[in-house]
Amino acid sequence: MQRRLLRALLAVAVAGVVVLGVPLAATVSRFLHDEAARRLEAQAALVGFTVDDAFEEGSPIPVASVRRLLSSGQRATIIAPDHTRTVVDRDTAPPGDLSVRITTADRGVVILDGTDENVDGRVHRAWLLVAGLALGGVLAAFVVAVVEARRLTRPLRALAGYSTRIGAGALAALPPRRSGVAEIDEVGEALHAAAARIAALLERERQFSANATHQLRTPLTALRLRLEAMSPAGPEVDAALAQVDRLDATIAELVAFAREGRAGGTETVELAPFLEGEAARWRPVLAAEGRALVIHVPPRLRADVSPGALAQVLDVLVENARVHGAGAVTVSVRALGDHVVVSVGDEGAGVSDDLAARIFERSVTTGEGTGVGLALARALVEAEGGRLELEERRPARFAVFLRGAA
């Protein structure tokens, strides 16, 4: 950025020098030539004054007197009132590029051709002076541009570093010192205020997570003790204890996801037995509504994923199919290059076109849910390095793309 700013300032300076310097040099050159022409005109007037006496007396032109008035390289052409012409040269050098014509008092005409011997040198010196001033102006502009570029880019670099620290999570980092540039200082103050608000919000969320975890686990512990105290223990009690364990593990995984961005450690999961185990929980719920659960899993397909995260994602998708879909719920697995795709679909009416584009946004729902499940499921899948997509709209089918294991 500093280089671009420096180039921009230099370009403005050079443009100013060109716009002002070239006309100035041309004006000086024109002034010097006009001054030479005025001097030549004064010489012509002296010649005219000299020859006027000869015109008046009818005597010959005083050539010697006229020649003494001329400079080197000048030629005087004298036209008498009777139209006789007399040419007087100072030397044999050709006349220059200046010419003046005057009429004498006795109606004679003096034409003086020549140039000022010093005018070309003075013009060249004037051009050199203007060029030197232009070069000095460019050098001064370069110095000013360097100083200004550093003055402007130094606080911008400090501001960029501060925003990087905020993005890395250092919300308590001190803001950069005031730079004296009002706009940059305003941005720094706005970033500092935003970091303070984010820090306060995160602290409230941490406190809520800790409080919610504590308050949920206390009744779960009490429920576990009540179930374990039941005698004699049977399949129903064992199933209830398993659900309590699952709920406790889900709470721990969600808290870990909120704090660390991951629901648990990644493992190599054999999908066929994993899905069959999960299906044992889903089938009774669907069967109670007269619906079936179909699992299609080729053998020996494995994925690198957190089992807890995958279980929660599949819970969300199966529950979504149960609430919003109809007919049998199908869970199928297929290999796709280096990935494994787990699809969950049903036989219902599907997803409307206006809802499909926003279905993974938080709080977006048809009115029969909270609008949290699909957004949470996508976040969990992305935390595992995969992605969750709406594969088909009618009937609805969601696809979970996971990293395949060798």
Side-chain angles (χ1 to χ4, degrees):
M1 178 179 179
Q2 181 175 349
R3 292 182 178 178
R4 290 196 297 270
L5 182 59
L6 184 60
R7 286 197 294 266
L9 292 175
L10 282 178
V12 172
V14 171
V17 167
V18 171
V19 169
L20 296 177
V22 172
L24 176 61
T27 302
V28 170
S29 177
R30 182 63 181 172
F31 173 78
L32 292 175
H33 281 89
D34 289 345
E35 186 181 11
R38 285 193 296 271
R39 285 196 297 270
L40 191 64
E41 188 175 351
Q43 282 183 286
L46 288 176
V47 172
F49 181 77
T50 300
V51 300
D52 262 346
D53 292 339
F55 293 159
E56 184 178 356
E57 297 174 357
S59 59
I61 300 297
V63 174
S65 298
V66 172
R67 183 175 289 114
R68 284 194 296 268
L69 294 175
L70 300 180
S71 300
S72 177
Q74 291 182 341
R75 173 183 295 167
T77 303
I78 302 167
I79 304 175
D82 59 358
H83 302 295
T84 60
R85 182 183 296 264
T86 303
V87 178
V88 181
D89 289 332
R90 172 63 187 236
D91 49 36
T92 58
D97 56 353
L98 293 178
S99 179
V100 297
R101 180 188 181 99
I102 67 168
T103 302
T104 68
D106 290 329
R107 298 182 181 180
V109 175
V110 176
I111 301 173
L112 186 58
D113 297 317
T115 186
D116 192 316
E117 294 179 353
N118 298 323
V119 68
D120 290 336
R122 295 176 67 188
V123 169
H124 292 159
R125 287 193 295 273
W127 275 90
L128 289 176
L129 178 61
V130 172
L133 291 175
L135 181 59
V138 171
L139 291 177
F142 176 78
V143 173
V144 173
V146 170
V147 173
E148 286 299 312
R150 289 179 178 176
R151 188 177 75 87
L152 292 175
T153 55
R154 188 180 298 113
L156 287 176
R157 286 198 185 100
L159 193 61
Y162 178 57
S163 62
T164 300
R165 291 193 297 274
I166 291 177
L171 299 177
L174 294 176
R177 296 179 179 178
R178 296 184 65 84
S179 62
V181 182
E183 293 78 4
I184 297 177
D185 292 338
E186 289 176 3
V187 173
E189 292 172 0
L191 276 176
H192 183 59
R197 289 194 296 269
I198 293 172
L201 178 61
L202 290 177
E203 182 60 27
R204 288 197 297 270
E205 290 185 352
R206 291 191 190 100
Q207 293 178 1
F208 172 78
S209 298
N211 295 338
T213 302
H214 179 271
Q215 294 302 105
L216 286 173
R217 280 178 170 167
T218 298
L220 283 177
T221 302
L223 179 59
R224 170 182 285 281
L225 293 175
R226 291 287 300 273
L227 290 173
E228 290 176 347
M230 287 184 178
S231 180
E236 295 297 330
V237 173
D238 293 339
L241 286 172
Q243 290 298 324
V244 170
D245 291 338
R246 178 175 177 79
L247 182 57
D248 186 63
T250 300
I251 292 172
E253 290 165 356
L254 289 177
V255 171
F257 176 72
R259 291 177 178 174
E260 304 172 8
R262 295 187 65 83
T266 300
E267 302 177 12
T268 299
V269 177
E270 189 83 32
L271 292 176
F274 177 83
L275 290 178
E276 288 297 337
E278 296 297 311
R281 296 186 297 104
W282 301 328
R283 281 197 174 99
V285 179
L286 291 170
E289 300 179 1
R291 299 171 64 183
L293 176 66
V294 181
I295 306 291
H296 295 297
V297 188
R300 293 184 297 278
L301 274 184
R302 297 183 295 177
D304 290 332
V305 67
S306 166
L310 180 57
Q312 291 184 54
V313 171
L314 293 176
D315 282 347
V316 169
L317 297 180
V318 173
E319 179 66 12
N320 188 73
R322 185 188 71 83
V323 174
H324 302 288
V329 177
T330 302
V331 179
S332 60
V333 181
R334 69 182 188 274
L336 184 63
D338 295 335
H339 291 78
V340 174
V341 183
V342 181
S343 300
V344 179
D346 60 75
E347 300 172 347
V351 181
S352 62
D353 294 337
D354 58 338
L355 184 62
R358 303 170 52 243
I359 195 168
F360 291 105
E361 296 180 12
R362 190 172 290 270
S363 301
V364 173
T365 179
T366 60
E368 301 176 3
T370 62
V372 175
L374 289 176
L376 175 61
R378 171 170 272 190
L380 288 170
V381 173
E382 290 177 350
E384 297 298 319
R387 70 179 192 274
L388 172 61
E389 304 290 346
L390 177 60
E391 196 171 27
E392 289 187 9
R393 295 184 182 182
R394 296 183 180 87
R397 185 167 76 237
F398 293 86
V400 181
F401 294 81
L402 302 172
R403 291 175 297 179

